[in-house]
């Protein structure tokens, strides 16, 4: 599991009880470089060049107070009604990282010390969503809160405790309506979650991929087999679970590799009583900004990011992302639809994108 080499605590964060718990966890794990800052500005992350800055930031955990904009929750289609950020940044080294180009500055992992305020603010959003709670197709999921948009909460759980606190809060709090917390992870260390009073209100999804993708582009993560084993343990502990197959790439032999992945998932989840399983399928895409950042972080990457091989997709504000061409996308979608129905017939496919 990832262990930060450096921990910095901002002045405002140091006043919060959750910050003290995070510091205690880091100390117990053997972290000795813990710095209490005199202000709320994080410094000391820049290195001599972009690579040195990346290495320094990726080895740093910053304990901060979330900005007001984070506590004003935003929709996050097609995943959930609302984005609930417990942290921002991820210690893994995925060469296709979705955070590249989305977050400004060095890629430091920031964990929010004002966790109690963040969780207390959920009540105001219950019943007001438009992705699940406000739709006929997914209303049964209730008001959904996505905790892994800008981080992998399980990957840092051993030094934060934030995900377990969120699971217990959602599992025991009276929201007055159906609510679901959602998180996805590339890690398998689920032990802190197994005995929690989750009440069936948290769905943990394993982010998984074909061997040729995971082994080549997902540095600093657990092997897919470990992620699936963790998912099986959660399912047997009564959690609703899911597979986030992402980012899907038509690498050589992709049908065989993704078929083997689905077979492994089916074997792990076989005979789980009352299995509640969803699947989300996300194909690889990138933006001009993310491509520039990623090639700076990983200058020798073999990840295909050639705009000439892609179709352009425009967002509602004119933003551009590059996706697979229509024929390729149709082939992928048709294969996955058939393969999922055959190999995981009990699963509900929530969306394809």
């Amino acid at each position: 599991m990832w262990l930060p080499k450096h921990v910095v605590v901002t002045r405002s964060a140091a006043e919060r009880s959750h910050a003290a718990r995070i510091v205690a966890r880091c100390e117990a794990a053997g972290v000795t470089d813990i710095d209490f800052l005199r202000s709320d500005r994080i410094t000391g992350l820049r290195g001599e060049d972009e690579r040195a800055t990346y290495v320094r930031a990726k080895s740093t955990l910053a304990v901060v107070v979330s900005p007001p904009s984070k506590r004003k929750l935003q929709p996050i289609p097609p995943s959930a009604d609302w984005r609930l950020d417990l942290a921002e940044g991820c210690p893994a080294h995925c060469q296709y990282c979705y955070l590249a180009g989305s977050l400004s500055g060095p890629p430091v992992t920031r964990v929010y010390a004002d966790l109690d305020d963040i969780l207390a603010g959920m009540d105001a959003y219950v019943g007001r969503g438009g992705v699940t709670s406000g739709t006929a197709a997914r209303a049964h999921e209730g008001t959904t809160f996505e905790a892994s948009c800008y981080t992998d909460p399980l990957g840092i759980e051993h030094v934060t405790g934030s995900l377990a606190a969120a699971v217990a809060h959602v599992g025991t709090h009276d929201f007055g309506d159906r609510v679901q917390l959602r998180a996805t992870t590339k890690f398998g260390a689920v032990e802190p979650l197994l005995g929690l009073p989750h009440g069936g209100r948290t769905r943990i999804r394993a982010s998984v991929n074909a061997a040729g993708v995971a082994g080549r582009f997902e540095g600093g993560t657990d092997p897919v087999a470990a992620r699936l084993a963790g998912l099986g343990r959660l399912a047997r502990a009564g959690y609703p679970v899911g597979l986030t197959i992402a980012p899907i790439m038509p690498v050589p032999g992709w049908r065989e590799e993704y078929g083997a992945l689905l077979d492994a998932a089916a074997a792990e989840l076989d005979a789980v009583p009352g299995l509640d399983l969803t699947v989300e399928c996300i194909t690889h895409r990138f933006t001009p900004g993310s491509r520039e950042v990623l090639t700076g972080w990983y200058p020798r990457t073999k990840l295909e990011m050639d705009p000439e091989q892609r179709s352009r997709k425009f967002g509602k504000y004119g933003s551009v992302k590059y996706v697979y061409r229509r024929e390729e996308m149709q082939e992928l979608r048709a294969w996955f639809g058939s393969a999922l129905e055959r190999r995981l017939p009990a699963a509900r496919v929530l969306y394809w994108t």
Side-chain angles (χ1 to χ4, degrees):
M1 293 187 292
W2 175 74
L3 193 64
K5 293 181 179 178
H6 323 283
V7 175
V8 295
V9 185
T10 64
R11 182 183 61 185
S12 295
E15 300 171 356
R16 305 295 184 122
S17 59
H18 190 50
R21 293 192 290 268
I22 294 170
V23 169
R25 283 172 172 265
C26 290
E27 289 176 335
V31 180
T32 58
D33 183 359
I34 301 177
D35 188 12
F36 288 84
L37 305 178
R38 296 182 178 181
S39 72
D40 289 338
R41 185 182 176 207
I42 302 172
T43 59
L45 296 178
R46 297 286 180 183
E48 295 181 355
D49 53 28
E50 186 174 9
R51 181 61 186 171
T53 297
Y54 171 86
V55 171
R56 173 77 182 184
K58 277 287 190 176
S59 62
T60 300
L61 179 71
V63 186
V64 304
V65 171
S66 65
S69 60
K70 293 290 185 182
R71 297 191 294 275
K72 185 177 180 181
L73 305 189
Q74 300 297 319
I76 184 68
S79 175
D81 283 329
W82 306 108
R83 197 182 88 207
L84 185 79
D85 292 330
L86 309 177
E88 179 181 277
C90 175
H93 302 277
C94 298
Q95 294 178 34
Y96 52 75
C97 179
Y98 289 122
L99 301 184
S102 299
L103 303 179
S104 59
V108 61
T109 297
R110 295 174 171 85
V111 59
Y112 297 136
D114 52 327
L115 178 64
D116 292 342
D117 293 341
I118 292 171
L119 298 178
M122 296 173 67
D123 293 71
Y125 292 86
V126 174
R128 295 175 48 201
V131 178
T132 60
S133 60
T135 65
R138 295 179 64 183
H140 63 279
E141 297 177 51
T143 304
T144 47
F145 295 87
E146 178 60 66
S148 50
C149 291
Y150 281 176
T151 191
D152 186 317
L154 187 61
I156 57 176
E157 175 64 13
H158 54 293
V159 290
T160 71
S162 297
L163 180 58
V167 170
H169 175 77
V170 172
T172 59
H173 184 70
D174 182 9
F175 289 98
D177 202 350
R178 181 169 171 77
V179 163
Q180 180 189 119
L181 180 68
R182 293 163 52 80
T184 189
T185 182
K186 288 185 173 72
F187 295 88
V190 300
E191 290 78 9
L193 308 182
L194 295 179
L196 297 177
H198 59 79
R201 293 179 178 176
T202 293
R203 184 180 300 277
I204 305 291
R205 299 106 76 207
S207 178
V208 293
N209 219 314
V213 177
R216 193 171 194 179
F217 300 122
E218 295 181 355
T221 65
D222 277 348
V224 171
R227 304 176 209 174
L228 291 175
L231 195 71
R233 297 183 68 188
L234 288 168
R236 289 185 285 274
Y239 278 86
V241 295
L243 296 172
T244 302
I245 308 175
I248 295 169
M249 299 182 192
V251 294
W254 64 266
R255 295 173 184 82
E256 293 76 17
E257 290 201 5
Y258 282 110
L261 170 67
L262 298 182
D263 287 340
E268 179 61 49
L269 298 172
D270 183 47
V272 172
L275 177 65
D276 183 345
L277 175 67
T278 61
V279 178
E280 296 152 84
C281 297
I282 305 171
T283 55
H284 179 245
R285 67 276 319 278
F286 60 91
T287 67
S290 67
R291 181 176 183 269
E292 180 179 1
V293 172
L294 289 170
T295 53
W297 287 354
Y298 309 109
R300 291 184 296 224
T301 185
K302 300 301 182 183
L303 178 66
E304 183 274 302
M305 290 187 289
D306 183 358
E308 297 300 318
Q309 297 187 37
R310 302 294 188 109
S311 293
R312 288 194 300 173
K313 186 175 181 180
F314 294 91
K316 61 180 179 179
Y317 299 114
S319 60
V320 176
K321 66 177 63 174
Y322 292 96
V323 301
Y324 292 121
R325 292 172 177 169
R326 177 180 296 180
E327 298 79 9
E328 202 163 27
M329 191 76 84
Q330 289 175 340
E331 183 180 8
L332 287 166
R333 186 168 189 173
W335 185 89
F336 271 93
S338 175
L340 285 166
E341 185 176 351
R342 185 170 66 256
R343 290 174 161 98
L344 291 167
R348 301 192 310 280
V349 180
L350 297 184
Y351 57 83
W352 171 280
T353 185

